[in-house]
């Protein structure tokens, strides 16, 4: 019993000493580890804005497709609309009275959709007194957007494919964001108690750009600032971004039915080739072959007899280079001995047997670690 007490005492003393050394000699520091965005963030440009609005008491509701009647029947009074996901037929007679009673619309246009000359949407813009045109800046042109309140934004926050113009006279002056060439990139038309804002793709509302204070202020002004106490929510009528994984790429290409049918056909053909036919299997005549060790030994003796063992070194070097290239590694930087072996192989046509055996062992160890 006394022996066990002494062992326990020694173990406790060792643990105590190690603990004291760890506490006095080691330092705990924080490490910053980058984490890639989740699939939900990559699929939604407005993820940060929607979470921010929800946490500030403005719950966000998302609709993948909209129409004028769905807007006027919604409980939200502040609505963001991605134009390509909305039915604009006869929208003006329905939405304009809704806006005049206190509704707020923020509409964004995508160049690939608007370039198709959407007649219904063009009629809606004309009804509210706005005209949109496709506009492409010069390659060397730097655009800075501003308004009367000295609001400054870089060119990455607005869609430069569109320019807007006001084609009607209003009692209240419309609010516009212009570049240094006085080209309007965003226009907000006041109608009664509400307003309709039209712009290109709203980069200033995207996840990466929302950390800017100017962008956050503008995003808040166009969404949450227009809500009423009895209607605090915000409605987003928008699509989803296709994530760059297998199913996201299939979704970008359109109809997923052809690849699904192709996969099923390949599976059926594979089973048909693997599963044997009905009946008794015919026995096959087994042919005895020499063991692989004997084959390699005979090959080695042959190469040694004709002083050609260097061929093994060339094969190993080639395979190591291929593996390092697939893993984006520099073989000479990671394994300096490869450079020495390759130089000796190039300088000497006939290496000594001991040098070849030594080099082969080095290359075998490197292959095992790759």
């Amino acid at each position: 019993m006394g022996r066990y007490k002494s062992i326990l005492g020694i173990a406790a003393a060792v643990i105590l000493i190690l603990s004291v050394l760890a506490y006095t000699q080691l330092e705990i520091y924080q490490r910053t580890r980058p984490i890639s965005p989740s699939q939900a963030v990559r699929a939604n440009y407005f993820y940060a804005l929607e979470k921010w609005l929800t946490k500030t008491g403005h719950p966000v509701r998302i609709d993948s497709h909209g129409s004028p009647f769905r807007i006027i029947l919604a409980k939200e009074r502040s609505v963001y609309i991605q134009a390509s996901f909305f039915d604009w037929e006869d929208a003006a007679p329905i939405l304009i009275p809704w806006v005049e009673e206190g509704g707020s619309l923020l509409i964004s246009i995508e160049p690939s959709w608007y370039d198709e000359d959407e007649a219904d949407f063009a009629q809606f813009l004309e009804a509210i007194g706005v005209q949109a045109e496709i506009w492409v800046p010069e390659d060397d042109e730097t655009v800075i957007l501003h308004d009367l309140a000295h609001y400054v934004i870089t060119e990455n926050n607005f869609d430069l494919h569109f320019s807007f113009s006001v084609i009607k006279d209003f009692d209240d002056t419309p609010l516009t964001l212009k570049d240094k060439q006085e080209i309007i990139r965003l226009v907000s038309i006041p109608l009664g108690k509400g307003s309709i804002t039209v712009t290109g793709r709203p980069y200033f509302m995207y996840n990466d750009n929302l950390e800017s204070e100017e962008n956050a202020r503008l995003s808040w002004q166009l969404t949450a600032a227009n809500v009423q106490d009895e209607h605090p929510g915000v409605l987003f009528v928008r699509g989803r971004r296709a994530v760059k994984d297998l199913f996201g790429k299939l979704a970008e290409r359109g109809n997923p039915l052809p690849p699904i049918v192709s996969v099923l056909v390949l599976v059926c053909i594979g089973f048909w080739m693997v599963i044997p036919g009905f009946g008794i299997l015919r026995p096959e005549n087994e042919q005895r072959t020499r063991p692989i060790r004997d084959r390699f030994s005979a090959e080695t003796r042959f190469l040694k007899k004709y002083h050609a063992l260097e061929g093994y070194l060339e094969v190993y070097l080639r395979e190591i280079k291929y593996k390092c290239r697939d893993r984006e590694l520099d073989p000479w930087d990671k394994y300096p001995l490869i450079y020495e072996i390759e130089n000796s192989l190039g300088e000497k046509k006939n290496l000594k047997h001991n040098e070849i055996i030594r080099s082969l062992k080095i290359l075998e160890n490197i292959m095992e670690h790759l």
Side-chain angles (χ1 to χ4, degrees):
M1 187 67 181
R3 184 180 62 180
Y4 291 120
K5 288 184 178 180
S6 60
I7 293 174
L8 291 175
I10 293 173
V14 170
I15 293 174
L16 179 61
I17 293 173
L18 292 176
S19 300
V20 173
L21 290 175
Y23 182 78
T24 56
Q25 302 298 323
L26 300 181
E27 180 182 359
I28 299 175
Y29 63 93
Q30 295 181 350
R31 173 184 292 180
T32 301
R33 181 169 61 93
I35 300 176
S36 58
S38 65
Q39 184 174 357
V41 176
R42 289 184 285 117
N44 182 8
Y45 289 120
F46 306 97
Y47 183 87
L49 177 61
E50 292 170 359
K51 292 296 182 182
W52 178 34
L53 294 175
T54 301
K55 290 184 178 180
T56 54
H58 306 286
V60 174
R61 185 169 64 91
I62 302 171
D63 198 342
S64 60
H65 182 75
S67 66
F69 288 104
R70 297 176 72 169
I71 296 299
I72 64 175
L73 295 177
K75 59 183 178 179
E76 296 86 0
R77 306 295 291 177
S78 178
V79 181
Y80 163 75
I81 299 176
Q82 190 174 350
S84 58
F85 291 86
F86 197 83
D87 183 8
W88 295 102
E89 184 177 1
D90 298 328
I94 300 173
L95 293 180
I96 291 178
W98 178 82
V99 172
E100 292 175 345
E101 294 177 0
S104 175
L105 288 181
L106 170 59
I107 303 171
S108 67
I109 316 172
E110 307 95 83
S112 59
W113 172 79
Y114 186 76
D115 197 29
E116 297 175 358
D117 192 17
E118 179 61 39
D120 293 332
F121 182 64
Q123 292 177 2
F124 174 79
L125 291 181
E126 184 179 358
I128 63 174
V130 175
Q131 183 178 2
E133 296 179 356
I134 299 293
W135 186 88
V136 179
E138 299 293 337
D139 295 338
D140 58 348
E141 183 175 0
T142 301
V143 179
I144 299 179
L145 298 164
H146 60 88
D147 65 0
L148 299 178
H150 305 289
Y151 175 78
V152 179
I153 304 178
T154 62
E155 66 274 14
N156 295 327
N157 300 327
F158 274 77
D159 191 350
L160 303 184
H161 291 89
F162 282 100
S163 63
F164 299 94
S165 58
V166 180
I167 58 177
K168 286 186 178 181
D169 295 329
F170 296 91
D171 296 335
D172 296 330
T173 304
L175 299 177
T176 59
L177 289 179
K178 304 178 182 179
D179 62 16
K180 63 181 180 180
Q181 296 180 348
E182 298 300 318
I183 297 176
I184 300 175
R185 303 301 181 183
L186 181 147
V187 57
S188 181
I189 305 296
L191 295 175
K193 299 179 181 179
S195 64
I196 299 178
T197 303
V198 184
T199 184
R201 286 170 295 190
Y203 296 133
F204 59 91
M205 297 171 64
Y206 284 8
N207 298 323
D208 296 337
N209 297 327
L210 199 62
E211 62 182 359
S212 170
E213 181 180 355
E214 292 82 1
N215 293 338
R217 288 179 180 272
L218 181 59
S219 302
W220 181 270
Q221 183 65 31
L222 296 177
T223 54
N226 298 318
V227 301
Q228 304 171 2
D229 294 338
E230 60 272 17
H231 302 286
V234 181
L235 173 61
F236 276 69
V237 180
R238 61 168 180 81
R240 289 179 57 85
R241 178 188 179 192
V243 183
K244 299 296 183 179
D245 56 7
L246 173 61
F247 297 102
K249 291 181 179 179
L250 291 177
E252 282 184 341
R253 301 307 187 270
N255 187 7
L257 183 60
I260 293 176
V261 173
S262 302
V263 170
L264 293 178
V265 171
L266 288 176
V267 170
C268 294
I269 294 175
F271 277 111
W272 175 71
M273 295 177 63
V274 172
I275 298 176
F278 295 97
I280 300 175
L281 298 178
R282 296 181 180 180
E284 297 182 359
N285 297 327
E286 297 183 357
Q287 298 180 356
R288 298 184 59 185
T289 58
R290 297 177 61 184
I292 190 67
R293 182 183 296 274
D294 294 343
R295 295 174 60 187
F296 278 113
S297 299
E299 183 179 358
T300 304
R301 289 195 298 270
F302 177 83
L303 294 175
K304 181 179 178 182
K305 178 180 178 181
Y306 291 96
H307 306 286
L309 281 176
E310 295 88 348
Y312 274 137
L313 296 178
E314 296 176 356
V315 173
Y316 271 108
L317 289 172
R318 184 172 63 252
E319 292 298 321
I320 290 173
K321 290 179 181 178
Y322 284 154
K323 288 192 174 184
C324 290
R325 184 180 62 184
D326 293 339
R327 301 182 182 181
E328 298 182 357
L329 299 174
D330 186 359
W332 294 275
D333 185 26
K334 187 171 182 62
Y335 305 104
L337 292 176
I338 295 178
Y339 183 79
E340 298 178 6
I341 295 172
E342 193 173 27
N343 285 343
S344 62
L345 187 62
E347 295 173 359
K348 301 178 182 179
K349 294 184 179 179
N350 295 320
L351 296 177
K352 295 182 180 180
H353 180 71
N354 293 335
E355 295 176 350
I356 296 175
I357 298 301
R358 173 180 170 274
S359 300
L360 282 174
K361 290 182 179 180
I362 294 174
L363 296 178
E364 286 177 357
N365 292 332
I366 293 176
M367 284 288 292
E368 292 176 358
H369 288 86
L370 286 176

